[in-house]
Amino acid sequence: MLVVYQDVINIVQAKFSSTEVVKCIHLNVSSVNESLDEVHKILALVECNSSYALFVFITKKPRPSSISDLTIETAIPINSCFSCDTEPIENCQSHIIFIVNFKNNKLQFKIEIGVESSNFASEVVWSKEVSSSNKPNFNWLDKYKCDNLDPSNQKTSEMSDQSSDIPVLRHQLAQGQAASNRESILRYQLKLKEPEYTQQQEFSIFVGTWNVNGQPPSVSLRPWLSFDEEPPDLYAIGLQEIDLSKEAFLFNDTPREAEWVKFVMDGVHSKAKYKSVAVTRLVGMQLIVLVNSKHYQFVKNVAVDTVGTGLLGKMGNKGGVAVRLELHNTSLCFVNCHLAAHIEEFERRNQDYKDINARINFRKQPQSIKDHEQVYWLGDLNYRITDLNTQQVKTLLGRNEFVTLLKADQLNQQKDRGNVLLDYTEGDITFHPTYKYDLNSDTFDTSEKARPPAWTDRILWRGEGIYQVAYRSHMDVRISDHKPVSALFKSEISVIDQNKFRRVHEELLKKMDKLENEFLPQVMVDQTEVVFDLVKFREPQSREIIIANTGQVPAEFEFIKKLDEATYCKDWLRITPYCGTIDPGDKCDIKFEVNLEREMDKVYDILVLHLKGGKDMFIIVTGECQRSCFTSSLSTLCRAPVPLLQMSEEQRKQAENMESRVLYSIPRELWHLVDNLYRYGLKTRDLFESCALHEEIIRIRDWLDYGSVDPLPGTVQAVAEALLLFLSYTKEPIVPFELHDSCIAAANNFQNCRLIIQQKMSDVHRNVFLYICMFLKELLKYSNENGYDAKTLASLFGDILLRDPIRNSKPQANRGKANFVYNFLVNDLSSSIIPNK
């Protein structure tokens, strides 16, 4: 096979399991009665356990770029009933007819004469010879319905001309199908016929991004948003850092949201009227999507989601916000992100991007970012220029040597290595770096840090029919240390012709009405038991199963709740996707991800995979769990004579049953974390607001669980995050659930707060609470260096020390809990400390 086709072979291979190997392919194939411009096909020779089959694919384009471009049209076993031959085409020197005979059927393909066709034909003939000398087993083809040859080329097709558009043979129909599946078939057929009733219209889309550096809106945005002469059809405006206050960070609450929306609405093009499609915000990230009023009626299925990738993997100081919509018949997705800062943190930025992609879920089809037809990715991606100092960057800019600088751009480097935004396109950058400027000027950073200029603010896209006509920065807007950036696109949107649609719809209904019976969806699952390796605290694992549609109609699947259960799976399990539709001959990879965040001996769940109009299937998920100090009770840890994973089974049971004596006033693991921060972290700026690399947290966890004579690993920021995790995931909260209402009610009076701690909390929980408060009071002595005040620390730790029974995945603190903790940070605690009983 020619090397140039290896990337296509990889895409075709993805349609099969690991035991089904694509031996060779032939591109640019058409049936004899079709031109290459009408239908693109690919032939593939596939081997499984020494048996071979010839697959015919329909592809959306001559050279597919993803698995979604391919649909299996038919599969033909290469056995004693199979033969192939070639014959010339009259008056044609460039192409030849490749003939496949199977039983009483005959398929003819027009292929180009050359090395590719010669190699492919030789491989097929060779596989026929191998099959003749063996007794091949073709059970693996059952899910592909190999006898279902393309009826469009068969005189022996059992369907009449009137119903030839519906690819189902009458002998394969089943009795008693529900009307819901009829709708599924109709939707599928309408999708296949989409070119007959839609046309591509060009819409202008303005995408803008700006990090406003916490500045209030105080200047007109028209130089940015109304830069072009003609008004765009749609705006997607992403802002970052609209509020840098601790209040916004902790409570996800800011008046700036409404202020910036107003300024954006005032700044859009005056030649058109715009309506808001969606506004979504997470802390300082805000995404505003507007549409020209004349198109508003054609916008539907709008949804938003947000993902925080900051502290504890959820705080919204970093992360992304997304809006999806359908404009006419095309699905659009806009993602505004703010990735990790600092020049050396490019791996953290890569991980933030992956987390946003993995965790955004619109809870309607399509659920994920990647499944939309057009995606626009914008924001402060924070990638810097590497290996060049500030003066070198400025010198090269003075010479307009952008090519040299862009080779040193981290985003370009990471993208070339396939680590981030691999499938996205970015236009040529011809403008100066957008970061970092002195406020209210066009002068690069003259502060003591003198940060090198960088193109941190970017706009990229993926999808068909998107053409960028402008990509620029707007130097006249000077209130931030970033310059706003915009890109103008001419994008092809699929618009439905209602008259043609009604005609196609009516024709399909008539043909379906003539069918005597209806039919059932059928799928096969490659495994019904999913077994995880040893499951450890906050160390996600994933497994995949394959659902293959072996029937002739689209199969709609969904994991559903069992009786008396609130959700379709346990809280430690995530299923992606949990529902969807699989076209005939296609497959869907289902990802199961387990993430352990509480004490368990083993994970176990029985999942119900429901097939709409078909039968239910059951999948068992199991795995043994490893204990950790992070999810153990404080009482157990105070009775542990050695680190948790060094304890014998008897020692563990005695500690858990409170049969052994109390050895420590507080858990030794907590002491190690606080001691490290006391010695190395008291003067660290924003100690509890940095997000550590996952590997650092894992090393700290293992150090605490196993014990070690080596120093505690990880940076001081990683230790700080580990402390927050420890306090957040102990078996019971530091302040028991039943005391929360009393604590909040008493929050305005320190004496009442102190009495609750002294009289209603157990010795261990009281000791831990006071120990943390005393450490925080020590931290406040260095507030000039670390930047913390009592209210900020109380807000951050209030929601952790008095955590809710059901975890909130979005960042939001509780003011009542914060006020309770605040009392213990500003008052003398000596009278609160009492000896253990």
Side-chain angles (χ1 to χ4, degrees):
M1 194 64 225
L2 297 177
V3 176
V4 70
Y5 296 134
Q6 187 59 50
D7 56 341
V8 182
I9 288 182
N10 294 338
I11 294 170
V12 175
Q13 180 66 65
K15 298 286 284 187
F16 299 96
S17 68
S18 58
T19 59
E20 300 165 1
V21 180
V22 177
K23 307 299 290 185
C24 60
I25 63 173
H26 198 304
L27 299 178
N28 299 321
V29 175
S30 65
S31 298
V32 291
N33 58 344
E34 298 168 337
S35 72
L36 283 174
D37 295 332
E38 292 175 342
V39 179
H40 305 292
K41 295 187 178 183
I42 295 177
L43 301 180
L45 179 65
V46 181
E47 183 265 336
C48 180
N49 298 326
S50 299
S51 63
Y52 294 83
L54 181 67
F55 281 77
V56 182
F57 288 90
I58 297 175
T59 175
K60 296 178 180 178
K61 41 193 173 183
R63 191 185 183 92
S65 58
S66 70
I67 188 173
S68 61
D69 293 332
L70 296 173
T71 301
I72 296 176
E73 183 179 47
T74 189
I76 310 164
I78 299 179
N79 56 18
S80 58
C81 300
F82 175 93
S83 66
C84 63
D85 202 353
T86 60
E87 65 179 38
I89 300 175
E90 188 175 354
N91 299 323
C92 180
Q93 304 299 316
S94 60
H95 288 76
I96 195 170
I97 295 177
F98 181 64
I99 304 169
V100 173
N101 295 294
F102 182 71
K103 295 183 179 179
N104 295 323
N105 300 297
K106 182 178 181 180
L107 298 179
Q108 299 184 61
F109 302 100
K110 190 191 325 182
I111 61 177
E112 188 174 4
I113 298 172
V115 175
E116 179 187 4
S117 57
S118 176
N119 289 345
F120 185 82
S122 298
E123 290 284 347
V124 173
V125 170
W126 180 83
S127 66
K128 167 70 175 176
E129 293 174 354
V130 172
S131 299
S132 300
S133 60
N134 298 328
K135 292 184 178 180
N137 186 331
F138 291 100
N139 290 340
W140 63 282
L141 285 179
D142 288 348
K143 59 181 177 288
Y144 302 112
K145 288 293 180 186
C146 61
D147 288 334
N148 186 26
L149 296 179
D150 181 5
S152 64
N153 295 323
Q154 308 305 316
K155 292 182 180 179
T156 58
S157 171
E158 297 182 39
M159 296 192 72
S160 67
D161 292 339
Q162 291 179 325
S163 60
S164 61
D165 291 318
I166 303 176
V168 181
L169 302 182
R170 288 187 183 278
H171 72 270
Q172 293 174 313
L173 303 180
Q175 295 280 356
Q177 176 60 31
S180 61
N181 198 53
R182 180 184 174 89
E183 288 300 312
S184 172
I185 300 162
L186 181 60
R187 288 197 302 272
Y188 177 60
Q189 292 300 317
L190 285 170
K191 186 68 176 175
L192 292 179
K193 288 180 167 292
E194 202 171 88
E196 296 182 22
Y197 59 82
T198 61
Q199 58 184 1
Q200 301 299 314
Q201 287 187 15
E202 194 176 80
F203 282 67
S204 58
I205 298 178
F206 182 104
V207 179
T209 178
W210 188 21
N211 184 321
V212 301
N213 190 34
Q215 304 299 313
S218 57
V219 296
S220 172
L221 302 185
R222 286 190 179 274
W224 174 33
L225 303 181
S226 301
F227 187 82
D228 301 292
E229 184 175 344
E230 294 299 319
D233 295 302
L234 188 145
Y235 276 103
I237 308 301
L239 303 171
Q240 305 87 41
E241 294 189 352
I242 66 170
D243 194 336
L244 297 175
S245 69
K246 298 294 184 183
E247 185 89 353
F249 171 67
L250 295 166
F251 297 100
N252 193 26
D253 186 23
T254 174
R256 294 278 176 83
E257 177 175 347
E259 293 173 12
W260 277 105
V261 169
K262 181 182 183 303
F263 264 70
V264 167
M265 294 299 292
D266 291 343
V268 296
H269 213 291
S270 60
K271 291 184 181 180
K273 293 186 180 299
Y274 292 90
K275 284 192 173 184
S276 174
V277 173
V279 176
T280 184
R281 183 184 59 81
L282 180 65
V283 186
M285 292 171 287
Q286 186 170 16
L287 180 58
I288 303 166
V289 178
L290 311 173
V291 68
N292 192 315
S293 297
K294 66 183 180 181
H295 304 305
Y296 187 75
Q297 62 177 314
F298 303 110
V299 175
K300 58 188 176 183
N301 293 331
V302 178
V304 304
D305 196 21
T306 64
V307 166
T309 61
L311 187 62
L312 300 181
K314 74 172 187 176
M315 295 303 285
N317 54 322
K318 295 294 185 288
V321 295
V323 172
R324 65 91 55 205
L325 59 101
E326 289 170 27
L327 179 58
H328 288 280
N329 209 39
T330 298
S331 61
L332 308 176
C333 181
F334 300 95
V335 186
N336 174 30
C337 71
H338 191 187
L339 307 185
H342 307 304
I343 189 169
E344 70 279 1
E345 294 288 354
F346 62 88
E347 290 182 352
R348 179 73 254 175
R349 289 188 273 280
N350 295 348
Q351 187 60 50
D352 286 349
Y353 163 77
K354 293 172 185 174
D355 288 345
I356 294 167
N357 260 308
R359 291 165 53 195
I360 286 287
N361 185 343
F362 294 110
R363 291 171 178 81
K364 59 172 61 179
Q365 295 293 346
Q367 299 178 66
S368 61
I369 294 170
K370 64 181 177 60
D371 295 327
H372 288 76
E373 291 166 287
Q374 295 186 4
V375 183
Y376 300 85
W377 194 289
L378 56 138
D380 181 357
L381 277 64
N382 249 325
Y383 289 93
R384 311 300 175 89
I385 293 174
T386 192
D387 298 329
L388 294 172
N389 61 36
T390 302
Q391 189 54 50
Q392 289 172 318
V393 173
K394 289 181 178 180
T395 300
L396 290 169
L397 285 173
R399 300 174 186 161
N400 286 326
E401 295 187 23
F402 281 24
V403 174
T404 303
L405 286 169
L406 288 168
K407 286 181 181 179
D409 174 75
Q410 288 179 338
L411 178 57
N412 291 336
Q413 292 174 345
Q414 294 302 306
K415 197 170 178 297
D416 289 343
R417 293 167 188 164
N419 295 331
V420 69
L421 289 159
L422 180 60
D423 299 329
Y424 286 80
T425 303
E426 183 177 21
D428 292 337
I429 294 178
T430 58
F431 49 88
H432 274 67
T434 55
Y435 174 85
K436 173 181 173 80
Y437 291 87
D438 292 341
L439 297 185
N440 301 304
S441 78
D442 296 330
T443 305
F444 286 117
D445 187 16
T446 58
S447 70
E448 184 179 344
K449 292 183 179 179
R451 294 177 180 85
W455 286 282
T456 58
D457 310 280
R458 312 287 273 269
I459 299 170
L460 301 94
W461 74 91
R462 61 174 289 184
E464 299 290 334
I466 303 174
Y467 307 96
Q468 188 182 75
V469 295
Y471 191 24
R472 60 274 170 119
S473 65
H474 300 265
M475 301 293 289
D476 294 339
V477 186
R478 300 184 176 91
I479 62 172
S480 171
D481 58 352
H482 290 250
K483 298 296 183 182
V485 172
S486 69
L488 185 66
F489 298 94
K490 296 293 185 184
S491 300
E492 293 179 353
I493 301 297
S494 178
V495 177
I496 295 175
D497 184 317
Q498 290 299 329
N499 291 328
K500 291 181 180 179
F501 175 79
R502 278 193 293 270
R503 186 167 63 249
V504 170
H505 187 262
E506 288 170 3
E507 288 174 357
L508 284 172
L509 286 176
K510 289 177 183 178
K511 290 173 182 177
M512 291 178 66
D513 287 342
K514 290 183 179 180
L515 295 176
E516 296 176 357
N517 305 298
E518 298 187 24
F519 38 91
L520 294 169
Q522 299 177 24
V523 300
M524 286 184 63
V525 180
D526 67 337
Q527 54 184 310
T528 56
E529 185 172 1
V530 177
V531 181
F532 287 98
D533 294 336
L534 187 63
V535 183
K536 302 177 182 180
F537 172 72
R538 297 271 292 190
E539 191 169 343
Q541 284 186 52
S542 63
R543 296 286 186 273
E544 288 190 353
I545 67 169
I546 299 173
I547 305 177
N549 186 342
T550 59
Q552 296 300 310
V553 298
E556 296 184 44
F557 72 89
E558 181 182 7
F559 287 91
I560 61 172
K561 298 183 292 185
K562 300 184 287 291
L563 291 175
D564 303 324
E565 295 201 6
T567 58
Y568 59 85
C569 68
K570 296 291 195 297
D571 58 359
W572 42 262
L573 183 65
R574 185 181 182 200
I575 305 173
T576 310
Y578 73 92
C579 66
T581 301
I582 311 173
D583 290 337
D586 214 338
K587 65 173 185 174
C588 181
D589 296 327
I590 306 296
K591 181 179 178 181
F592 296 98
E593 184 175 50
V594 61
N595 188 19
L596 187 65
E597 294 186 334
R598 56 189 170 91
E599 186 177 73
M600 298 174 67
D601 291 324
K602 65 184 299 183
V603 293
Y604 180 81
D605 199 4
I606 298 177
L607 307 173
V608 181
L609 177 60
H610 173 68
L611 198 61
K612 191 172 183 179
K615 63 180 182 178
D616 291 343
M617 287 169 277
F618 299 92
I619 297 172
I620 298 174
V621 178
T622 61
E624 298 295 324
C625 299
Q626 178 174 283
R627 292 179 177 273
S628 172
C629 65
F630 282 82
T631 55
S632 298
S633 71
L634 298 176
S635 175
T636 297
L637 296 176
C638 287
R639 288 175 165 82
V642 292
L644 197 69
L645 294 181
Q646 291 186 26
M647 292 172 66
S648 66
E649 187 67 20
E650 173 133 8
Q651 286 175 320
R652 183 178 63 80
K653 285 183 178 179
Q654 288 180 346
E656 289 178 348
N657 297 331
M658 294 189 287
E659 295 171 355
S660 56
R661 65 191 181 92
V662 177
L663 299 174
Y664 306 103
S665 298
I666 60 169
R668 82 158 63 77
E669 294 83 0
L670 176 62
W671 181 87
H672 279 302
L673 294 170
V674 172
D675 178 66
N676 183 278
L677 296 177
Y678 182 83
R679 285 188 286 161
Y680 306 115
L682 292 178
K683 298 181 181 181
T684 301
R685 193 85 182 168
D686 299 331
L687 177 64
F688 292 106
E689 293 169 40
S690 298
C691 188
L693 289 173
H694 180 67
E695 292 79 7
E696 289 185 286
I697 301 298
I698 296 303
R699 288 198 298 270
I700 293 172
R701 180 203 66 191
D702 290 345
W703 190 93
L704 295 172
D705 285 343
Y706 286 100
S708 174
V709 296
D710 296 326
L712 184 64
T715 62
V716 69
Q717 290 88 352
V719 176
E721 184 172 351
L723 173 63
L724 295 179
L725 286 170
F726 181 88
L727 298 173
S728 298
Y729 289 95
T730 51
K731 195 169 185 178
E732 310 92 9
I734 309 305
V735 177
F737 294 129
E738 63 270 18
L739 297 182
H740 287 191
D741 290 343
S742 300
C743 292
I744 293 172
N748 292 327
N749 187 299
F750 172 61
Q751 294 306 321
N752 292 339
C753 295
R754 186 170 61 84
L755 287 175
I756 292 174
I757 295 298
Q758 286 182 331
Q759 298 178 5
K760 296 186 178 182
M761 285 179 64
S762 68
D763 291 345
V764 170
H765 284 255
R766 181 179 62 253
N767 291 342
V768 169
F769 179 84
L770 294 175
Y771 183 66
I772 294 299
C773 289
M774 288 188 287
F775 165 66
L776 297 180
K777 287 172 71 71
E778 192 68 25
L779 197 67
L780 290 172
K781 294 179 182 179
Y782 300 90
S783 58
N784 288 336
E785 288 90 346
N786 58 47
Y788 282 113
D789 56 56
K791 286 188 176 180
T792 299
L793 290 177
S795 298
L796 181 59
F797 279 82
D799 206 40
I800 292 174
L801 297 176
L802 291 83
R803 72 170 186 262
D804 293 328
I806 299 175
R807 296 187 184 280
N808 180 10
S809 62
K810 303 298 183 185
Q812 188 171 8
N814 181 293
R815 286 180 170 82
K817 296 175 181 179
N819 291 339
F820 179 80
V821 174
Y822 179 77
N823 281 289
F824 292 88
L825 303 187
V826 297
N827 288 290
D828 182 16
L829 299 185
S830 58
S831 61
S832 302
I833 301 172
I834 58 177
N836 288 350
K837 299 173 185 176

